[in-house]
Amino acid sequence: MVPRWALDALADVYDPCCREKGISVVDMGLVRTVSEDAGNVRVELLLTSGWCPFAARVLTDVHDSIARQPGVNAVEVEIVWDEPWTTDRLSPAARRQLRFLPDPAAVEDRDAYLASKGLKP
């Protein structure tokens, strides 16, 4: 679960791969949980890949953004590996921007498929 204040704080934090598209770590679905106890905050993140070359940057940016929030005394940001990131975690806006499509062989009528998703061919 992620509290609204944390979602708002992280809305301007980007994985460098998605910054130019304006897709935040929230929209990417990288934030798994944020818990707070007496000003001590713990953030669990998923990565799109275990080979992400920007993981350290994302961790630092998430830490710094949460640390700037009122009432936060300490922040721990951890990458968790017990759950894989999948495209199911993308927000609808991120999905539209990234235009994840199925294997072309699995779609009989490409234009009809795109139209059903609200996308333009």
Side-chain angles (χ1 to χ4, degrees), residues 6-16 18-19 22-28 30-31 45 57-66 68-69:
L7 291 174
D8 292 343
L10 298 173
D12 292 326
V13 175
Y14 302 93
D15 179 313
C18 293
R19 181 179 298 279
I23 302 173
S24 72
V25 296
V26 173
D27 286 328
M28 284 294 296
L30 301 183
V31 182
L45 295 177
R57 173 64 185 256
V58 171
L59 288 169
T60 298
D61 290 350
V62 167
H63 176 278
D64 293 349
S65 182
I66 294 293
R68 286 192 297 270
Q69 301 310 300

Side-chain angles (χ1 to χ4, degrees), residues 12 15 22 28 31 35 46 53 56 74 77 83 88 105:
D12 292 326
D15 179 313
M28 284 294 296
V31 182
S35 56
L46 302 171
V77 181
E83 176 185 354
D88 294 338

Side-chain angles (χ1 to χ4, degrees), residues 65-86:
S65 182
I66 294 293
R68 286 192 297 270
Q69 301 310 300
V72 173
N73 300 321
V75 180
E76 175 189 0
V77 181
E78 180 182 359
I79 297 170
V80 293
W81 301 106
D82 61 344
E83 176 185 354
W85 179 89
T86 67

Side-chain angles (χ1 to χ4, degrees), residues 37-50:
D37 181 27
N40 299 312
V41 178
R42 182 169 191 277
V43 180
E44 292 182 339
L45 295 177
L46 302 171
L47 295 179
T48 57
S49 165

